[in-house]
Amino acid sequence: MIESPTQPGSVTGAHRESLWLVALYETEERIHELLERLHALGVETEDASIVHVELNDQLRAANLPPAAHTPLSPHARNAVTGAIAGSALFLLMGLGLYEAGPLKFSQLQGLPAHAVLFVLAGALLGSMTGALLSTTMNAFAAAQAKPLPKAATDKMQELASDGYLVAVKMPPHLGEQAEAIARQLGAKQILL
């Protein structure tokens, strides 16, 4: 009978189970203290990786929801929306007035020519109305804007801070102890 090499804790050839502790700290000194304590537990810390990380504007922009990455400005979106709504509205009104009889231009022959005129007029007026409403709403919102409370600005400063990331490979049975040590030393985040 052949023994199964996949039993927990068994070592087969070059394969050994390992666990990675990844922690984020504000200062590099805390990382060195973490590595010293882990070494005292028996973890081989010679191959630990330390990386300086910084949250910049590009990283923050990459984490924004996709809706914030629209190719058009709010003014342009409102103008396009107004043009579409205006052209549809003017087309319906123009068709009704054309069929009723009071609105027939002698220079234009037939319904299709009138429809094109109504769509263009509606698009022009709709886009101007959309852009004007956008400007008015932005001016009103700017007048009503209140400064953020101190707690919110502090949170933004915390997100903008840089730090140091450490990754340490260790045996799985030391994972809980290593996590507890990392938390005691004030890790911002821990992945295990």
Side-chain angles (χ1 to χ4, degrees), residues 21-40 43 45-53 162-168 170 178 181-190:
L21 170 75
V22 180
L24 178 66
Y25 286 95
E26 286 186 18
T27 63
E28 197 171 0
E29 291 80 30
R30 291 292 189 177
I31 290 177
H32 292 298
E33 189 174 343
L34 171 71
L35 293 176
E36 287 173 10
R37 287 188 180 185
L38 291 177
H39 185 70
V43 175
T45 59
E46 296 82 32
D47 295 329
S49 297
I50 301 172
V51 180
H52 180 254
V53 292
D162 54 355
Y164 295 89
L165 194 64
V166 62
V168 184
M170 67 186 65
I181 292 169
R183 288 196 192 287
Q184 289 172 355
L185 293 173
K188 287 182 178 182
Q189 287 187 340
I190 299 173

Side-chain angles (χ1 to χ4, degrees), residues 54-64 69 156 159-161:
E54 183 176 330
L55 288 176
N56 59 23
D57 292 336
Q58 284 180 328
L59 290 174
R60 274 191 220 97
N63 292 328
L64 290 177
H69 296 293
M156 285 182 200
L159 289 175
S161 68

Side-chain angles (χ1 to χ4, degrees), residues 16-21 43-45 47-48 167-171:
R16 245 177 67 189
E17 269 190 48
S18 297
L19 182 70
W20 284 90
L21 170 75
V43 175
E44 296 176 19
T45 59
D47 295 329
V168 184
K169 185 177 176 182
M170 67 186 65

